[in-house]
Amino acid sequence: MKRIFEVDPWKIVTHSLDKDNKRLQESITSIGNEYMGMRGMFEEKYSGDTHPGIYLGGIWYPDKTRVGWWKNGYPEYFGKVINAVDFVSVDIQLDGRSIDLAQDKFSDFTLELDMKCGLLSRSFIIHRNDTSVKVKSERFVSVACKELYANRLRFENLGEKPVEICVTSLLNANVFNEDANYDDQFWNVLDKRSMQQALTMTAQTIENDFGTPRFTVAMKAIHQTSLKYQNNLETAKSVSACWQGKLFANEKAEFEKKVIVTTSRDYSDRFVMEEAAEKLSNKQAVQSFEQLLAAHVLVWAKRWEKSDIVIDGNDESQQGIRFNLFQLFSTYYGNDSRLNIGPKGFTGEKYGGATYWDTEAFAVPFYLGAASSKVTKNLLQYRHNQLDGAYHNAKQQGLAGALFPMVTFNGIECHNEWEITFEEIHRNGSVAYAIYNYTRYTGDQEYVHHNGFDVLVGIARFWADRVHYSTRKDQYMIHGVTGPNEYENNVNNNWYTNMLAKWCLQYTEKIAQEVSEEKISDLRVTDAERQRWAEISEKMYLPYDKKLGVFVQHDTFLDKDLTPAKELPQDQLPLNQHWSWDRILRSPYIKQADVLQGIYYFIEQFSEAQKRRNFDFYEPLTVHESSLSAATHSILAADLHKEEKAFEMYSRTARLDLDNYNNDTEDGLHVTSMTGSWLAIVQGFAGMRVSDDKLHLAPFVPQEWKGYSFRLNFRNRLLSVVVGAKRTELTLLAGAPLEVILNGEPVIVKMEEN
Amino acid sequence: MKRIFEVDPWKIVTHSLDKDNKRLQESITSIGNEYMGMRGMFEEKYSGDTHPGIYLGGIWYPDKTRVGWWKNGYPEYFGKVINAVDFVSVDIQLDGRSIDLAQDKFSDFTLELDMKCGLLSRSFIIHRNDTSVKVKSERFVSVACKELYANRLRFENLGEKPVEICVTSLLNANVFNEDANYDDQFWNVLDKRSMQQALTMTAQTIENDFGTPRFTVAMKAIHQTSLKYQNNLETAKSVSACWQGKLFANEKAEFEKKVIVTTSRDYSDRFVMEEAAEKLSNKQAVQSFEQLLAAHVLVWAKRWEKSDIVIDGNDESQQGIRFNLFQLFSTYYGNDSRLNIGPKGFTGEKYGGATYWDTEAFAVPFYLGAASSKVTKNLLQYRHNQLDGAYHNAKQQGLAGALFPMVTFNGIECHNEWEITFEEIHRNGSVAYAIYNYTRYTGDQEYVHHNGFDVLVGIARFWADRVHYSTRKDQYMIHGVTGPNEYENNVNNNWYTNMLAKWCLQYTEKIAQEVSEEKISDLRVTDAERQRWAEISEKMYLPYDKKLGVFVQHDTFLDKDLTPAKELPQDQLPLNQHWSWDRILRSPYIKQADVLQGIYYFIEQFSEAQKRRNFDFYEPLTVHESSLSAATHSILAADLHKEEKAFEMYSRTARLDLDNYNNDTEDGLHVTSMTGSWLAIVQGFAGMRVSDDKLHLAPFVPQEWKGYSFRLNFRNRLLSVVVGAKRTELTLLAGAPLEVILNGEPVIVKMEEN
């Protein structure tokens, strides 16, 4: 654990610059607006260790797959989000020498991410010989105008001698990815111009061997300043402009940089600059930084109104949950169904910014409650858009139907470990589950009966071909899979996978009864096919141990040495840093919920005894070495009234990044895992469930808190839930009256009339 | 199947140059003398597709391991045999233009590998306008003087116009490996000189990051020719000399190049050139090519006398077995216990020229019978030399004892697929089995009681730590392994692995009773440890199916869809080219003998019924997509009097490379698999076994043959075995009288007195 920011309910703030943990600071102070985002590197020169990163949603490059030993079926390329053309850097010189906090003497340092406003600001006083200059920087990527990045710099001469100040603003395509195979660069500059106060650049991603689209990006930087324009400079890959001025004692200066970034994702290549960037920047140019910020803050205020969670009596928890909400919304807010939620969002290169099953398993349940239903619908639509890719993936394995990928930008699988790519196929179940989850939560039948059914049929066809019939057992089986517990590979009859496959077939068959005949015939779903789905789901083998009364994780799991994890020597944890891979594989230790993930998915369908027996059997074997593990366990523990355990698990997820729990936040934030703290509070502590078309709540307050309150979006209502030690108050903030089942009793919640 | 050479009992010969299959030709016409070897590329320029390769035994480079996703425990480097400094190339110009068979018009082409003499020769007539010149080239790497390579070129002007001939001989370090990661080169030239008729070069392998030894190689080329010395030329990485002469009509010229290659493996770096290469080349220089060749042929004659197999009535079979013997002996003849048998020997880059378990499982049984016992003893000693590496490998996995590597040059594992590196641990059993096999075959107890016991204890300690105790079954188990059938990965309780582990523990305990007390105490073998070995081997779980009466390949094998391989559509074969990896894994299809490999190892201990039931169950599921598969099946089929099946399987191994059965011989020969044809004849058709210290034979003649005869080395005897349709004749060619059990009856075989 390493905490470098102070505890504060609404702010991520520090008053010291920890140069040894600069990357960690940069990850935590990332900002984004779903369209683009960036790490918290400084605008000005920083000669110490730093990991700059500016990313544009959906702008990626297919890098050639590199493996030691090729396996049939491997994808040809691995997609990675590339560092965008740098539009953030600004060089600030005082008396001819660049400010560089790695070298300069400075005082009064503050770095603050204001989560309420979505504003990153920083101030410090530079001391050189007998001069002292205060510098303040503020920046945001606008949630009111997605193409806008704005940065304001303010200077004040605190000394007595005059200081010559020079600010150089850049657009620079000379950028690198740290994870590039060979220090390759990914941008060709097509056009660049400097027109005194304005800079423009149009750049295109380099060619690739795989026929995936190349992207064109245009950016125009406009400036407003009290300094005096000096000159422009162009190099092969960059363009810049410089402003200068003399600051006398106590004198101030201001510098605003506003950048409009447009891409060929929204405009045809030809017009990405001419029409889009030009037009948009003209529109923003007439507004000041102050005005643009105000519009941005207003949108954030609306988001908080819909989604805030207030925790009474624990500022650490409060900061943790708000930080998670802030970063999640910065990554995705459902405005573009072509985008998704990379495990690190816009906060790092790792996991290539691609789409994982995290989205359906962990992000969908969160967005369903924390935002309006269109957010989730766009996440579902994303998979529908990529259905062709999913059919392609199944075909690569010689199978029918659609297999949604483990890692992707465009629907085509681009991960290359056989035990994951080919075998971690339970992901397909979660894509179907998300449709089911959306439907029961929103009550919207439209999606599942149209686009949703296309997806379900593809998935059902995959499972129907992927099973095999075991003559000996007279059952259908699924051999050779990796379950959610990635600490076992290539197992047979993973209970979670088999259960989910069975459910997918049943659910698809159920929906088939509801859709139009036209839909059935469009998709060529035959009676024979439906019969086969029914037969397979009826005869699906679900390993169960009578003696223990538990579902068995996979065929031979119970033959293992089942020593509980707590008996492991502490110096061997985490296992993934201390044990060789084979030792991990044959151990009984579970990386993240596996059987319990399945129980979580259908929690209302299992008996208390079933839940308890499985939890008590599997949790002691679980090492929670995936950041996705804790939330599921917290919810199940809460469900079983193991309140202490529930809170312990919650604590592992809420401040995972703020406290650098896993010692890897310097690479970027665990964005998809951040949903876990919301889920642990709402589904865990507050016992939120949806069943029989009704919202259920059964809250308790953890001992460590006095109370908590949250907002819940449910079927066009916005509900305020205030949980106190003694009672829970429900208030309807928007929408028609609603029957809620509170602690098992129906309650009608209406808008307050006043 | 593609056959580019003619059928001939002693020769590999063709009268046409198949430019489309040049690499295949080069593989098949490889020559070697265990110390060094080379592919059959031409000496002179060839501008068409070609894959030159010259390799020096034990000269390798540790290339950085590159994988898509790193797993804990992976080795840091992958060793590869590097292309040696090129001492073979010679440029031949006629009237100022290089001969190039890819471009030139030519006739009367012959390319011939004489297996009796170990000589590769080639002749052709070049036609250019009104000139015709006959060129003949002969080359060999001497088995009489391991450091010697010799090449003789002869020219004859068949036209009427005089022809200017110019021969340039090179030593050239500017060479590449096709499998290099980034076209890197591996040689630094330390010194090079050209002294008129002599050329020298000293080169050292480049630095590496892993502290493995760098190798220095010195070579001196000396020349003898009727042409006139012209000049020398040096470049940064090469040195050459040129000779010229005018050939008038019917006139002839000769050019001999002899090269002495010494390495720091035999001499200290400092002296590798000064003393070794100089001295040796002076000694050889006084002899003509003819004399050097005669000495070489004499050694080959002795090898054939000891080992030849004669097949009556089938020249294809005859050529096949001789080719295999020739290439095996060219790769390894037991003169250097620091060397081993790479799966492609000196015939290609693939498999990096490293040591695999092929050696113990397939090469040892062959060399035991086909050569003197010291050959095998050196193979055993090789593993003993690398025992430290084996302890290191086990430690990498967090385990006690010694784990011999899957792929190695120095004992340290250098393969990097987790399912192989970490899991194909049955290899450890074969290392122990080879000691047992050597001991029972030779009767020599000395090795097993000394160095052999060191190895056995290391292996036993590994198994004792690698098993786990299953409380539920009250048995010891081995989870997470890959058996010899690499078409399944990460399985539990592979019968072969468990059986072999159990046997290793028992055998080590048995030998422990025989060795000196000093040895026991040196190795710190305690009574408690021996008791544990006994307990584990007693309670080792060996999966068995009562209903089928077969050993079960692994825990859940019988749950598979067990459709026989013959029902697979032909266009899906071989599976490894048509199926995705996961589909192969969950199929029941077996790449090479697995349960049956275990039965083969201890064939005399299983009942006829056991052997038959297992063969009849597993063979129909076996696709034989490893070149190592056929021999084991041939031997077991012969044992079960399935003579047709035995011959079918033999045929797949005997001419595997000559007929390019697997369509991959262009990469190099399947050297270790070549042992299979010898084993299929001697252990299969002739039923050779050793049990109770006696040699057993029970021969039959396959329908396709009239008869066959072979030589057998057994306990200091050399035996001739002539098998005819009616009877088998045994003759002792050397050694004391021997009791042989022929078809179940004891026969005393004595030297003929005359």
Side-chain angles (χ1 to χ4, degrees), chain B residues 653-666:
Chain B
T653 161
R655 294 185 59 89
L656 181 72
D657 287 316
L658 284 180
D659 293 342
N660 195 15
Y661 223 108
N662 285 8
N663 200 26
D664 63 356
T665 295
E666 66 273 15

Side-chain angles (χ1 to χ4, degrees), chain A residues 66-69 71-73 78 182 396-399 415-419 422-423 466 468-470 472-473 477 479-480 489-490 492 545 554-556 558-561 575-586, chain B residues 66-69 71-73 78 182 396-399 415-419 422-423 466 468-470 472-473 477 479-480 489-490 492 545 554-556 558-561 575-586:
Chain A
R66 294 189 189 277
V67 292
W69 301 88
K71 308 275 193 201
N72 285 349
F78 182 76
Y182 307 111
Q396 279 288 100
Q397 297 189 24
L399 292 166
H415 190 84
N416 57 21
E417 289 171 295
W418 65 265
E419 64 275 18
F422 300 151
E423 300 209 333
R466 183 57 169 76
H468 77 269
Y469 177 71
S470 167
R472 191 162 73 139
K473 296 261 174 70
M477 294 187 166
H479 274 194
N489 291 153
N490 195 42
N492 295 334
D545 189 82
H554 68 85
D555 273 351
T556 56
L558 297 178
D559 284 342
K560 293 192 168 197
D561 173 352
L575 297 182
N576 62 24
Q577 286 173 27
H578 294 89
W579 281 14
S580 78
W581 186 240
D582 58 308
R583 191 170 176 194
I584 288 175
L585 287 182
R586 64 181 180 272
Chain B
R66 294 190 190 277
V67 292
W69 302 88
K71 309 276 194 201
N72 286 350
F78 183 76
Y182 308 112
Q396 280 288 99
Q397 297 188 25
L399 292 166
H415 190 83
N416 57 22
E417 289 171 296
W418 64 265
E419 64 275 18
F422 299 151
E423 300 208 332
R466 182 58 170 77
H468 76 270
Y469 178 69
S470 168
R472 191 164 74 139
K473 296 262 174 68
M477 294 189 165
H479 274 194
N489 291 153
N490 196 41
N492 295 336
D545 189 83
H554 67 86
D555 274 350
T556 57
L558 297 178
D559 284 341
K560 292 193 171 198
D561 173 352
L575 297 181
N576 62 24
Q577 286 173 26
H578 293 90
W579 281 14
S580 77
W581 186 240
D582 58 308
R583 192 171 176 194
I584 288 176
L585 288 182
R586 64 181 181 271

Side-chain angles (χ1 to χ4, degrees), chain B residues 515-528:
Chain B
V515 301
S516 66
E517 275 180 41
E518 202 188 335
K519 191 84 199 163
I520 292 282
S521 96
D522 273 1
L523 293 176
R524 298 201 177 83
V525 177
T526 63
D527 286 349

Side-chain angles (χ1 to χ4, degrees), chain B residues 502-746:
Chain B
K502 176 187 166 99
W503 172 84
C504 283
L505 292 168
Q506 285 173 330
Y507 184 59
T508 306
E509 167 54 21
K510 176 180 168 289
I511 301 300
Q513 296 165 20
E514 298 170 3
V515 301
S516 66
E517 275 180 41
E518 202 188 335
K519 191 84 199 163
I520 292 282
S521 96
D522 273 1
L523 293 176
R524 298 201 177 83
V525 177
T526 63
D527 286 349
E529 183 170 32
R530 289 169 65 173
Q531 243 161 23
R532 183 163 155 77
W533 295 348
E535 189 202 323
I536 294 168
S537 60
E538 192 186 318
K539 286 199 172 182
M540 180 69 84
Y541 174 56
L542 294 175
Y544 177 74
D545 189 83
K546 272 189 191 155
K547 203 172 132 197
L548 297 168
V550 299
F551 305 120
V552 180
Q553 193 162 290
H554 67 86
D555 274 350
T556 57
F557 185 82
L558 297 178
D559 284 341
K560 292 193 171 198
D561 173 352
L562 300 169
T563 306
K566 68 169 191 278
E567 291 181 29
L568 287 169
Q570 282 301 305
D571 62 0
Q572 295 186 16
L573 296 172
L575 297 181
N576 62 24
Q577 286 173 26
H578 293 90
W579 281 14
S580 77
W581 186 240
D582 58 308
R583 192 171 176 194
I584 288 176
L585 288 182
R586 64 181 181 271
S587 82
Y589 304 116
I590 301 170
K591 184 183 178 194
Q592 69 182 84
D594 193 296
V595 165
L596 297 183
Q597 186 69 28
I599 292 182
Y600 162 69
Y601 270 6
F602 301 101
I603 193 164
E604 65 284 354
Q605 298 177 20
F606 295 96
S607 72
E608 161 88 14
Q610 281 178 314
K611 287 185 281 192
R612 187 174 300 277
R613 279 196 305 262
N614 282 283
F615 189 90
D616 290 349
F617 183 76
Y618 286 109
E619 200 282 329
L621 296 169
T622 306
V623 287
H624 305 294
E625 291 180 11
S626 159
S627 61
L628 297 168
S629 184
T632 308
H633 287 88
S634 180
I635 296 163
L636 286 171
D639 187 80
L640 294 166
H641 308 293
K642 297 168 184 277
E643 297 179 1
E644 236 173 280
K645 189 80 195 171
F647 193 78
E648 178 204 326
M649 287 289 117
Y650 165 80
S651 303
R652 284 178 85 129
T653 161
R655 294 185 59 89
L656 181 72
D657 287 316
L658 284 180
D659 293 342
N660 195 15
Y661 223 108
N662 285 8
N663 200 26
D664 63 356
T665 295
E666 66 273 15
D667 294 338
L669 304 173
H670 298 82
V671 171
T672 47
S673 304
M674 287 178 163
T675 58
S677 50
W678 187 94
L679 294 170
I681 293 175
V682 175
Q683 298 190 351
F685 305 161
M688 191 271 275
R689 307 276 180 275
V690 177
S691 75
D692 301 329
D693 275 341
K694 294 221 169 55
L695 184 68
H696 296 241
L697 292 165
F700 73 91
V701 179
Q703 279 210 325
E704 290 78 357
W705 297 353
K706 291 182 189 153
Y708 56 99
S709 65
F710 59 90
R711 304 281 166 99
L712 203 58
N713 295 268
F714 182 75
R715 302 198 173 191
N716 296 319
R717 279 81 163 188
L718 179 63
L719 208 66
S720 154
V721 181
V722 180
V723 184
K726 303 253 165 86
R727 64 184 297 266
T728 298
E729 279 173 48
L730 302 179
T731 317
L732 196 62
L733 302 177
L738 179 73
E739 187 186 88
V740 177
I741 313 297
L742 180 63
N743 296 316
E745 301 295 326

